[in-house]
């Protein structure tokens, strides 16, 4: 993630301040924290939602071990993004995800670190589409998930 020197760390904004579209700027960023995923969690998630051999059986995985499914990786990301960033927005709804990629597998017993950077804000009369680049990296700094998420965020005052 490229952070510009003039950009703002949203963690520096008071946590009790709801962030409306006007409070956000392109380049604003935030570290979202970490989440660890265990082998048992990978297998349990896979049994329920994505029962493929690469997620269930190390002997049948070309990765040498089980790996987390893409949906599990997204859920892990949500577990850190929702409480630290999304819940701070004057959110109407999530609008979508673009350019979702999983360039490296998520392996058991890995601590993942998430971050967000605002890359575009499209103001409308009562709300804005806020485009964010989301990233999650492993302990070596290798990207395991990246996407552009679009959130619909209320404006402080509607324009005519």
């Amino acid at each position: 993630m490229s952070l510009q020197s003039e950009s703002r760390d949203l963690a520096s904004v008071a946590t009790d301040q709801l962030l409306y579209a006007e409070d956000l700027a392109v380049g604003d960023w935030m570290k979202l924290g970490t989440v660890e995923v265990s082998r048992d969690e990978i297998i349990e998630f896979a049994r329920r939602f994505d029962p493929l051999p690469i997620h269930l059986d190390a002997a049948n995985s070309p990765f040498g071990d089980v790996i987390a499914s893409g949906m599990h990786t997204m859920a892990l990301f949500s577990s850190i993004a929702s409480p630290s960033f999304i819940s701070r927005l004057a959110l109407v709804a999530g609008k979508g995800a673009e350019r979702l990629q999983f360039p490296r597998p998520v392996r058991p017993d890995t601590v993942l670190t998430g971050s967000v950077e605002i890359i575009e804000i499209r103001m409308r009369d009562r709300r804005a589409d806020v485009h964010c680049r989301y990233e999650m990296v492993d302990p070596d700094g290798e990207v395991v998930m990246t996407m552009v998420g679009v959130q619909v965020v209320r404006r402080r005052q509607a324009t005519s």
Side-chain angles (χ1 to χ4, degrees), residues 55-151:
H55 308 311
L56 294 170
D57 183 2
N60 285 318
S61 173
F63 297 97
D65 201 346
V66 296
I67 61 168
S69 74
M71 292 303 106
H72 190 185
T73 302
M74 289 180 65
L76 291 165
F77 181 79
S78 184
S79 78
I80 57 177
S82 291
S84 60
F85 175 66
I86 302 294
S87 65
R88 297 183 64 194
L89 299 175
L91 186 70
V92 175
K95 192 170 186 175
E98 303 168 351
R99 299 187 295 262
L100 174 63
Q101 296 180 348
F102 304 105
R104 299 251 188 299
V106 173
R107 300 180 183 279
D109 306 314
T110 299
V111 176
L112 303 168
T113 302
S115 60
V116 59
E117 179 182 13
I118 297 174
I119 59 171
E120 182 179 1
I121 301 172
R122 295 182 188 164
M123 292 291 191
R124 306 210 187 287
D125 290 344
R126 294 191 170 110
R127 54 187 174 259
D129 291 346
V130 178
H131 297 242
C132 299
R133 179 180 302 115
Y134 292 116
E135 228 176 51
M136 203 157 52
V137 298
D138 66 16
D140 296 324
E142 297 290 336
V143 175
V144 298
M145 188 208 81
T146 183
M147 72 174 171
V148 173
V150 183
Q151 288 73 226

Side-chain angles (χ1 to χ4, degrees), residues 4 6-8 24-29 117-122 131:
Q4 304 166 8
E6 64 271 11
S7 63
R8 173 180 59 157
L24 302 169
V26 171
D28 286 352
W29 61 278
E117 179 182 13
I118 297 174
I119 59 171
E120 182 179 1
I121 301 172
R122 295 182 188 164
H131 297 242

